[in-house]
Amino acid sequence: MKDSGALKEILVMMGIRGRQPSAEEQKLYEKWTNVYGMDLDAITAAMPATLSAVNPSCKYLDRILTQLYN
């Protein structure tokens, strides 16, 4: 799993603790970094927007990051 430490950090910031990132979450992270060219700082800068979600998730963050990318 590529850079699972950074992805785990993102999950913790969303309040998701105590588990490894899922395969789906890893694919989203790879899209953000490899396709969108975002680094951890750029991804975490979008994290405050997840506060409006009742249950923040990588899918929710993906929608935010996709809007920023587009």
Side-chain angles (χ1 to χ4, degrees):
M1 186 175 290
K2 179 185 170 195
D3 203 8
S4 64
L7 181 52
K8 284 173 115 176
E9 185 177 334
I10 291 167
L11 292 175
V12 167
M13 290 176 71
M14 287 190 286
I16 302 168
R17 294 175 173 80
R19 67 169 176 81
Q20 293 294 317
S22 69
E24 182 178 345
E25 290 165 337
Q26 182 63 36
K27 286 179 185 178
L28 289 173
Y29 179 77
E30 289 176 5
K31 177 174 76 170
W32 304 333
T33 57
N34 297 334
V35 177
Y36 295 173
M38 297 177 177
D39 60 11
L40 182 59
D41 289 338
I43 295 167
T44 56
M47 295 297 294
T50 65
L51 296 176
S52 63
V54 174
N55 295 311
S57 67
C58 282
K59 283 184 180 182
Y60 188 82
L61 180 57
D62 182 56
R63 288 192 296 268
I64 295 164
L65 295 174
T66 299
Q67 288 176 346
L68 290 173
Y69 177 75
N70 290 329

